[in-house]
Amino acid sequence: MKEKNKGKVGVILILFGMLCGMLSFTSCQPEKGREKLPYSMLFMTTDGQQYIWQAEQLDTGTIDPVINGALLDRPAKIWYYMLVRDGFYYFVDSKTEYLIKGKIQDKKFLRLDSVYLEGFSYPDNALFLDDRHLFIVNHSVGRKKKRYAKINVQDMRVHIDELALDAPAGPFDNMSVGFVYKRGEQLWMGYTYHYTNSEMGYGSADTVYVAQFSYPEMKLLNVDKDARSTYPGNVNTAQQNTFEDEKGDFYFMSAPGIVRGANPQQPTAIYRIKAGEQHLDTSYFYNVSDSQIHNHAYGMWYLGGNKAIVRSERKDLFRDYKEHYLLPHNEFYEIDLLDPSYSRKLDLPLDRGSSRTCVLVEGDTAYITINDGKGNNDVWLYRTKDQHLEMGLHIAGNIDYIFRLERLHTE
């Protein structure tokens, strides 16, 4: 009896295999055998709706996220705060102050879990310390000390505490943590202070502060100061502005321009903390505003071999803060971190949007998303070896902004 049943099972398996071949090998594979979709993109339409599209490739083709993507209907607008890690999405619901964990399934955004983060309506800065722990610094709340939340995203347990940084004082009524960087048993944070009042409007102190903490104790070890620029790092959920190179040297860019520090008299600059060192490398100061770029910048991505892409503004093409978001005026440059005399403007359409995670570097290719304000929303491919540009994936439909492009899974 057992041998007869075994034979029947064998015939069934053979027929099932033939059926898979006739239909689609991919669709008939068991769930565990399917290749993971590598990319995630977040869009906003001209009527303010937001969609997520998980892409198989970025090199060619056309997609319409409204037709084929997943609508974010609760809440409708999270702007650029969505974080992606290992196939899951994380964002703070600004109304409820809950950190939401979700995923895309059957073209729907499913909320899987949440945890309450009191006083964290918006993240000032966020970093995955490892595969399990998410570190968030809260948005400034007046002349109070900054707070941080360390969340275990597997069981959604949270630890919240104050940062041992001086609270704003004197003319400054708020502050920003522009980057968080972990190296071994140390945690670095770049920050500065701001003022907001009816007489002077909004602006920043004229100093870059870099604090070093022990981790996980979060004991303040040291604070470096540099008055050559301000607002180190800026909002990392908006666009990348830090990286570590092959040697382990850590680079970050300051952002004194109108949409971040609002202290445009100071230059945008790149700083460095060398591998194995505990302080800012005071001998290194890449003055972006005084280079051939000759403008303020807000985004920076590493290409390898001491080269990086910088996304800079064109101050002659906008008048104020609002126009900075709305009008196409952003350019992309390739720079050499060790040779300020070298810069190469990429032959791309002018880009729009002040808060965009718009460059993804994979090997010798940099994928650059462009929304030019004329309905042309595309992924461009920059081949770094031969410095060749070509158009890749085209985004169709009534898309206003491509907020984010990133890998869906860590490698």
Side-chain angles (χ1 to χ4, degrees):
M1 192 70 179
K2 291 181 179 180
E3 292 299 324
K4 289 182 180 180
N5 288 339
K6 186 183 293 184
K8 290 179 180 179
V9 171
V11 172
I12 291 172
L13 289 174
I14 292 172
L15 291 174
F16 178 76
M18 293 173 63
L19 179 61
C20 284
M22 293 169 61
L23 295 175
S24 167
F25 176 74
T26 301
S27 63
C28 286
Q29 289 183 80
E31 190 68 29
K32 292 182 180 180
R34 292 185 182 179
E35 185 178 353
K36 296 175 181 177
L37 290 172
Y39 306 108
S40 174
M41 303 180 74
L42 174 62
F43 304 91
M44 187 171 74
T45 62
T46 54
D47 58 357
Q49 297 295 312
Q50 290 183 314
Y51 291 83
I52 291 177
W53 169 261
Q54 294 180 346
E56 183 177 356
Q57 56 83 30
L58 303 171
D59 293 46
T60 187
T62 299
I63 62 168
D64 187 332
V66 176
I67 296 175
N68 298 310
L71 173 65
L72 294 176
D73 56 347
R74 294 187 302 156
K77 296 179 181 179
I78 57 169
W79 303 111
Y80 48 81
Y81 300 119
M82 179 76 77
L83 304 173
V84 180
R85 182 79 174 191
D86 292 332
F88 297 101
Y89 295 86
Y90 303 88
F91 68 91
V92 177
D93 187 321
S94 60
K95 294 182 179 179
T96 66
E97 296 187 336
Y98 272 83
L99 174 72
I100 309 299
K101 177 180 181 179
K103 70 175 183 178
I104 304 299
Q105 183 173 309
D106 299 327
K107 295 185 181 180
K108 295 183 183 299
F109 183 85
L110 302 181
R111 295 188 177 205
L112 303 175
D113 208 343
S114 64
V115 64
Y116 182 47
L117 303 182
E118 184 178 3
F120 284 73
S121 297
Y122 295 96
D124 208 31
N125 214 266
L127 174 72
F128 275 95
L129 302 175
D130 51 45
D131 290 339
R132 180 173 296 184
H133 295 102
L134 172 61
F135 189 94
I136 298 178
V137 179
N138 72 332
H139 185 65
S140 186
V141 286
R143 288 186 173 89
K144 296 181 180 179
K145 281 183 172 288
K146 280 284 191 184
R147 301 168 74 210
Y148 71 91
K150 183 179 175 183
I151 306 105
N152 185 321
V153 296
Q154 293 187 357
D155 58 20
M156 300 303 276
R157 287 182 297 153
V158 62
H159 170 76
I160 297 177
D161 207 344
E162 283 187 346
L163 285 173
L165 301 175
D166 290 339
F172 305 110
D173 58 6
N174 63 96
M175 63 185 294
S176 295
V177 171
F179 73 78
V180 180
Y181 166 62
K182 183 177 181 293
R183 180 196 287 171
E185 296 180 349
Q186 280 82 41
L187 205 65
W188 277 268
M189 293 187 196
Y191 65 100
T192 198
Y193 297 94
H194 312 289
Y195 58 81
T196 307
N197 57 60
S198 57
E199 293 182 4
M200 302 176 63
Y202 167 77
S204 298
D206 59 356
T207 302
V208 163
Y209 298 83
V210 178
Q212 182 189 27
F213 294 84
S214 63
Y215 179 82
E217 300 85 3
M218 296 304 296
K219 179 183 177 181
L220 181 62
L221 303 176
N222 180 70
V223 176
D224 288 336
K225 301 177 183 180
D226 190 296
R228 289 175 288 181
S229 188
T230 190
Y231 207 154
N234 80 79
V235 185
N236 76 334
T237 55
Q239 54 192 339
Q240 184 177 326
N241 36 64
T242 66
F243 53 76
E244 187 179 277
D245 71 4
E246 303 94 336
K247 301 184 292 293
D249 294 344
F250 174 70
Y251 291 84
F252 66 88
M253 189 167 69
S254 62
I258 186 173
V259 295
R260 292 294 181 259
N263 193 344
Q265 292 76 26
Q266 289 186 288
T268 293
I270 302 172
Y271 291 82
R272 179 173 68 187
I273 302 175
K274 297 190 73 173
E277 299 295 329
Q278 307 300 311
H279 298 277
L280 278 177
D281 179 3
T282 56
S283 68
Y284 182 87
F285 185 79
Y286 188 118
N287 190 324
V288 175
S289 300
D290 195 38
S291 71
Q292 296 179 45
I293 296 175
H294 203 60
N295 276 297
H296 286 296
Y298 304 92
M300 181 177 69
W301 298 264
Y302 190 52
L303 297 174
N306 300 320
K307 297 293 199 323
I309 285 181
V310 168
R311 184 173 185 255
S312 61
E313 66 187 22
R314 280 276 301 274
K315 57 188 175 185
D316 58 313
L317 296 179
F318 68 92
R319 293 173 297 178
D320 54 27
Y321 182 86
K322 183 177 181 180
E323 285 191 350
H324 199 283
Y325 282 90
L326 295 176
L327 298 181
H329 68 88
N330 291 282
E331 299 178 327
F332 294 85
Y333 284 83
E334 180 185 80
I335 66 168
D336 189 319
L337 295 162
L338 303 183
D339 182 8
S341 67
Y342 170 83
S343 66
R344 181 176 184 272
K345 182 180 175 296
L346 302 188
D347 188 18
L348 291 165
L350 290 173
D351 191 26
R352 62 195 286 265
S354 303
S355 302
R356 299 211 308 110
T357 298
C358 52
V359 178
L360 176 65
V361 180
E362 293 197 315
D364 297 327
T365 301
Y367 296 97
I368 306 171
T369 65
I370 297 288
N371 27 223
D372 67 356
K374 302 175 183 177
N376 299 311
N377 302 301
D378 300 285
V379 179
W380 287 77
L381 284 61
Y382 179 53
R383 309 293 189 184
T384 57
K385 279 190 174 181
D386 56 7
Q387 297 183 322
H388 174 68
L389 272 169
E390 60 186 89
M391 189 182 295
L393 182 69
H394 173 65
I395 293 88
N398 64 326
I399 299 301
D400 201 18
Y401 287 100
I402 309 169
F403 275 140
R404 302 185 70 87
L405 166 63
E406 52 211 320
R407 289 203 65 86
L408 185 56
H409 297 270
T410 54
E411 297 180 346

